[in-house]
Amino acid sequence: MGRTSLSFLFLSIVSLAYAKTHYHDFVVQETKVTRLCKTQTVMTVNGQLPGPTLEVNNGDSLVINVVNRAKENVTIHWHGVRQITTAWADGPEFITQCPIRPGGSYTYRFTISGQEGTLWWHAHSSWVRATVYGALVIRPKKGDSYPFHVKPKRESIMVLGEWWNANPPSVIREAMRTGGGPNISDAFTINGQPGDLYNCSKKDTVIVPVDSGETVLMRVINAALNQQLFFKIANHKFTVVGADASYVKPFTTSVLMLGPGQTTDVLITADQPPARYYIAGRAYASAQGVPFDNTTTTAIFEYKTAPCPAKGVSSKPVMPSLPAYNDTATATVFSTSFRSPKKVEVPTDIDVSMFITAGLGELQCPPTAPASTCQAPNRTRFTGSMNNVSFVLPSNISILQAHHLGVPGVFTTDFPANPPVKFDYTGNVPRSLWQPIRSTKVYKLKYGEKVQIVLQGTSISTAENHPIHLHGYDFYILAEGFGNFNPATDTSKFNLVDPPLRNTASLPVGGWAVIRFVADNPGTWIMHCHLDVHIGWGLATVLLVEDGPELSQKLQKPPADLPVC
């Protein structure tokens, strides 16, 4: 054995020796929570909102026993975790498992491999994730350090959420009954708290204390249900160093824009006069004419040496100037600033090339349907689709179980790789294309195939920014743009040198994005819009990746405690 091989073996043994297994108990329960002057009962994990923060190192394993003591079904998804050969632990309801029924339990077992930064976890069953979510912090392996130019003195987690003065699962059930849009939220939150600008909220506003001159590593997560969010700190700049548990080439910005599901790691230096500065988040609303929550959530970035206000004098923190709600230009500058830190191996010699339209539509109600169930415009019901297929979840078995056991009739493998009809995707769309087919179609990939997907937004019903999340994979975002993707002119825009590695792409309003990855993880992986109202309407599909030839490339056996339907 050569010196190089011995060195690699030694490093591998050392790495395994440092790896730990973390055990956690998650009890999903109903908890009384007071926000905006009202007390209501919502689902939480261990009575916390947000739920527990999981802290691990790259290479560690997690064993999390989830017990459901609430009245709703639940599953937990570990958003962004690759789940190499452990698709049974991914969590989306009826995709990789049946739900954990009230009174039931399930233990999720998986390993963090090759990922560092910030991910998160959340319920993946109806709108339960409105209050069932938390952070997943992945630090470098023991003995390694962050590759940052400045060593942060402290870390801070900012989980952005969305709050209803109602039971969120009931909100979406009512919308699904009527066919119309759901009621918008009543507040946004930072770490579960709305902040100073809302009624009955000031005393619980989150405070981030800092020393003058120190640098803070801030982990920002958009856990909101249905809204992209701008995020700023008054008079301070961010140096972006990571996103979706991958490092990025550092760049400086005064504002972040995160779609639901996305995470961004930033360094902030406390280099301003000692004072109190608002941390603020509010909507990026790209869809014209669609109602949205126009409130602003705040926390406080507080210098420890900030002068105390004189007695009887109110000292309001400095408020940042936030972008306009529809400021697509600012959102675009931010989303197109990401690069990998160095040259990466982008898949070439593509085996599978897909072109997938993603957007909303309206299903015409039959004449006999009650008007109360057809509340979208022109007596219709809102729907979402990819390539004119509106995805329907199974109800008696998960797709992964059906695939593993060879159960027929649960899904078909004829999801189209291209739109059935070519049209002016972002222009004047014929009314005949507004009604997709409702079915459970998946697309099958062979292990190891190199895949390119052109994601094309549509203006059917309305154009808007869609955060598209692919389970089980990270992917390179080669390019994005507005209008219809044109291979003759847009292929030259591909970044094949240092594109960013993400798990959730911001598909521009009325535009396109191109992603690439290698199908090296067997399982059934849902790709969907992370605006939860859209996934409920069917804006999703599933990629079924077959086993590879080696044992390490095959899906593991299902756990003995996998929930049954």
Side-chain angles (χ1 to χ4, degrees), residues 124-140:
H124 213 296
S125 181
S126 182
W127 275 20
V128 174
R129 87 164 177 88
T131 52
V132 175
Y133 60 86
L136 171 53
V137 173
I138 309 171
R139 297 194 171 88

Side-chain angles (χ1 to χ4, degrees), residues 518-546:
V518 177
D520 60 359
N521 191 13
T524 55
W525 307 106
I526 187 169
M527 181 170 68
H528 64 91
C529 179
H530 218 281
L531 305 178
D532 271 35
V533 62
H534 290 178
I535 186 176
W537 287 341
L539 210 170
T541 191
V542 168
L543 303 181
L544 190 163
V545 180
E546 298 177 327

Side-chain angles (χ1 to χ4, degrees), residues 58 103 142 178 184 195 207 371 373 375 426 449 503 538 550:
N58 182 5
K142 293 288 186 182
T178 66
I184 61 173
I207 295 177
T373 63
Q375 293 296 298
T426 57
E449 286 187 317
N503 63 54
E550 305 295 330

Side-chain angles (χ1 to χ4, degrees), residues 347-408:
T348 55
D349 301 322
I350 299 302
D351 301 304
V352 177
S353 184
M354 304 178 73
F355 188 105
I356 299 179
T357 58
L360 305 181
E362 297 168 10
L363 283 173
Q364 194 67 47
C365 285
T368 56
S372 61
T373 63
C374 305
Q375 293 296 298
N378 304 311
R379 193 178 155 77
T380 61
R381 295 177 61 86
F382 284 125
T383 185
S385 66
M386 288 184 163
N387 278 356
N388 207 44
V389 177
S390 185
F391 189 78
V392 178
L393 286 171
S395 58
N396 296 316
I397 190 173
S398 75
I399 291 177
L400 186 59
Q401 288 170 291
H403 165 61
H404 180 72
L405 298 173
V407 178

Side-chain angles (χ1 to χ4, degrees), residues 103-115:
S105 66
Y106 180 45
T107 300
Y108 294 88
R109 303 170 187 270
F110 54 92
T111 298
I112 305 296
S113 180
Q115 296 179 288

Side-chain angles (χ1 to χ4, degrees), residues 87-98 398-401 524 562:
W88 303 107
D90 190 45
E93 182 181 60
F94 294 117
I95 302 297
T96 61
Q97 68 169 96
C98 294
S398 75
I399 291 177
L400 186 59
Q401 288 170 291
T524 55
L562 191 70

